[in-house]
């Protein structure tokens, strides 16, 4: 059972979290380096298994907000989430007992670990999505009854904004998105503390451990000269959707999101077939020959076809040879309540009816 994240663990978590991020959540490489610097200072990243979290513990969900493509050129100062955490504690008049990731996908897997090391707090082995999604109301916290306002945002320049009252979490997301655009499309965000008993019901469980095991499996496949793509499929009960070359890529910033699509031309056993992936920070819909095969909330993952390493949204390039995988979402993200918030219609695809990828 994972009790502490070590320097060695970070390499594997980086890979596993980028795979689970379905293209979004930000590139975890820089987050890994920042966590490594904290460990060099002698600080620790303790981990609490979800089942051992006290019912009355106060847990804050935090992470980065913005567009992943911005993180390539705009390096964070390093304490944005820590300042957001302190702002929430001040606003609520409490001291927080533990941190948890809003999303295990991408760089946001690392943000709670980094802040945990800085604040001397443990991080809970779980998250609010089991992947990455672009908007905060898409967390299980919000879906299953927690109000995330007030929320606090902090940027690298020292600005702190507290959003105190909103009618619902959709409005919190809208206002926060406007603020983050002004902040340069990248900021740290912390939301209202949750009780431990609620977190144990609503969190997608054991996702730090999941990312760690997945990353280790890929690294082991490299060391043993096994097929890393098949390793990911086996590890996560996934399915190979296509091996392809990217023949067209449209990606631009819109309202604080990276939006667009990539067009694919199959090779190998998929020669002669075409594909398309629509994205909004994360990969949302995969079509092969104009037929939807996998859609949100199930995970659409893009890997380098040779190395099996994940390619995040901001690192996509024309001509890349990729393997597209489908991985099943956690049941918490497939419930009727969740599908209203993270199903295809929530992203502007009312014509697409979600069907679990196992049924395809």
């Amino acid at each position: 059972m994972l009790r502490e994240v070590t320097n060695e663990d970070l390499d594997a978590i980086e890979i596993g979290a980028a795979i689970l991020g379905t293209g979004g959540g930000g590139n975890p490489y820089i987050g890994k380096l920042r966590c490594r610097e904290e460990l060099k200072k002698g600080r620790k990243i303790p981990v609490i298994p979800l089942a051992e979290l006290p019912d009355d513990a106060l847990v804050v969900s935090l992470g980065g907000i913005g567009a992943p493509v911005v993180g390539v050129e705009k390096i964070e100062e390093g304490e944005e989430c820590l300042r957001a955490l302190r702002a929430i504690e001040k606003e609520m008049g409490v001291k927080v007992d533990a941190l948890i990731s809003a999303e295990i996908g991408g760089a946001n897997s690392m943000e709670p670990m980094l802040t945990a090391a800085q604040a001397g707090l443990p991080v809970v082995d779980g998250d609010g999505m089991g992947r990455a999604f672009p908007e905060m109301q898409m967390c299980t916290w919000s879906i299953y009854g927690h109000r995330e306002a007030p929320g606090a945002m902090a940027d690298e320049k020292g600005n702190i904004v507290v959003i105190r009252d909103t009618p619902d979490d959709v409005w919190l997301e809208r206002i926060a998105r406007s603020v983050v655009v002004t902040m340069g499309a990248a900021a740290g965000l912390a939301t209202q503390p949750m009780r431990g008993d609620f977190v144990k019901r609503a969190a997608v469980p054991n996702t730090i451990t999941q990312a760690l095991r997945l990353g280790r499996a890929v690294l082991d496949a490299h060391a043993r000269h096994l097929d890393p793509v098949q390793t990911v499929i086996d590890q996560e009960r996934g399915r190979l959707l296509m091996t392809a070359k990217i023949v067209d890529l449209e990606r631009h910033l819109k309202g604080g999101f990276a939006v667009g699509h990539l067009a694919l031309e199959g090779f190998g056993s998929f020669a002669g077939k075409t594909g398309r992936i629509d994205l909004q920070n994360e990969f949302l819909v995969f079509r092969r020959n104009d037929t939807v095969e996998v859609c949100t909330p199930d995970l659409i993952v893009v890997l380098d076809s040779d190395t099996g390493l994940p390619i995040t949204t901001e690192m996509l390039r024309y001509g890349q040879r990729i393997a597209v995988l489908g991985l099943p979402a956690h049941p918490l993200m497939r419930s009727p309540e969740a599908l209203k918030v993270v199903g295809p219609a929530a992203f502007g695809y009312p014509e697409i009816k979600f069907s679990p990828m196992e049924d395809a």
Side-chain angles (χ1 to χ4, degrees):
M1 188 174 290
L2 184 63
R3 298 288 181 177
E4 183 178 321
V5 174
T6 66
N7 193 51
E8 184 181 65
D9 294 334
L10 289 172
D11 284 330
I13 293 173
E14 175 197 5
I15 295 171
I19 292 171
L20 295 175
T22 66
N27 192 311
Y29 175 71
I30 294 173
K32 177 186 75 171
L33 297 183
R34 290 161 59 208
C35 285
R36 204 159 260 173
E37 288 302 307
E38 296 300 323
L39 294 179
K40 285 181 183 177
K41 297 173 185 175
R43 293 172 174 167
K44 305 290 185 182
I45 305 175
V47 178
I48 298 180
L50 196 60
E52 296 180 14
L53 184 65
D55 286 350
D56 61 352
L58 289 180
V59 183
V60 159
S61 171
L62 54 74
I65 179 173
V69 293
V70 172
V72 177
E73 296 184 358
K74 181 184 176 184
I75 306 300
E76 295 182 17
E77 176 271 338
E79 294 190 351
E80 287 88 342
C81 282
L82 179 63
R83 289 195 293 275
L85 169 66
R86 296 307 186 208
I88 279 293
E89 288 182 323
K90 181 179 178 181
E91 175 69 21
M92 303 295 295
V94 299
K95 292 299 290 183
V96 168
D97 299 306
L99 306 176
I100 193 167
S101 178
E103 56 184 1
I104 194 62
N108 274 338
S109 65
M110 299 288 179
E111 288 292 344
M113 298 181 200
L114 176 71
T115 308
Q118 294 166 339
L121 292 171
V123 62
V124 179
D125 192 358
D127 79 299
M129 295 182 181
R131 47 163 295 162
F133 276 119
E135 300 183 19
M136 68 180 72
Q137 78 274 10
M138 295 174 178
C139 275
T140 53
W141 330 133
S142 181
I143 292 169
Y144 294 108
H146 175 69
R147 283 295 308 278
E148 297 210 68
M153 301 173 63
D155 68 9
E156 80 287 354
K157 296 176 281 292
N159 295 308
I160 296 175
V161 173
V162 175
I163 304 168
R164 185 172 290 118
D165 298 307
T166 62
D168 53 37
D169 289 342
V170 173
W171 271 104
L172 178 62
E173 163 66 31
R174 288 174 180 171
I175 295 169
R177 194 63 54 177
S178 296
V179 173
V180 80
V181 170
T182 302
M183 287 179 165
L189 171 72
T191 55
Q192 180 178 184
M194 303 173 284
R195 278 180 54 93
D197 50 0
F198 172 80
V199 173
K200 285 190 282 191
R201 293 195 308 271
V204 180
N206 309 319
T207 47
I208 298 177
T209 299
Q210 180 186 8
L212 176 63
R213 288 176 177 167
L214 180 53
R216 282 177 174 170
V218 172
L219 291 172
D220 181 64
H222 290 169
R224 297 170 58 192
H225 305 290
L226 302 175
D227 180 357
V229 173
Q230 189 61 47
T231 296
V232 174
I233 293 170
D234 294 342
Q235 185 82 11
E236 296 297 319
R237 301 176 293 113
R239 178 159 57 92
L240 178 64
L241 303 176
M242 197 172 191
T243 51
K245 183 173 74 171
I246 299 176
V247 294
D248 188 34
L249 172 62
E250 178 185 317
R251 180 186 55 208
H252 59 276
L253 288 178
K254 182 180 179 181
F257 299 110
V259 298
H261 71 272
L262 49 155
L264 308 175
E265 184 179 276
F267 68 79
S269 60
F270 297 92
K273 300 184 184 302
T274 61
R276 174 185 167 114
I277 301 176
D278 293 352
L279 64 92
Q280 180 182 325
N281 286 7
E282 288 76 38
F283 305 125
L284 299 177
V285 179
F286 170 77
R287 295 177 177 86
R288 188 168 65 194
N289 292 348
D290 297 323
T291 299
V292 174
E293 288 208 356
V294 177
C295 66
T296 175
D298 283 344
L299 285 66
I300 298 163
V301 176
V302 173
L303 306 178
D304 181 284
S305 61
D306 293 324
T307 66
L309 294 176
I311 304 174
T312 51
T313 300
E314 70 276 13
M315 303 307 291
L316 293 168
R317 299 290 183 271
Y318 174 84
Q320 285 172 326
R321 292 168 66 86
I322 63 173
V324 184
L325 275 55
L327 309 180
H330 189 274
L332 282 170
M333 304 308 291
R334 287 176 165 184
S335 71
E337 305 99 302
L339 289 176
K340 292 177 184 176
V341 184
V342 297
F347 292 93
Y349 301 96
E351 75 283 3
I352 299 176
K353 179 176 172 55
F354 172 73
S355 177
M357 55 165 282
E358 302 94 315
D359 298 343

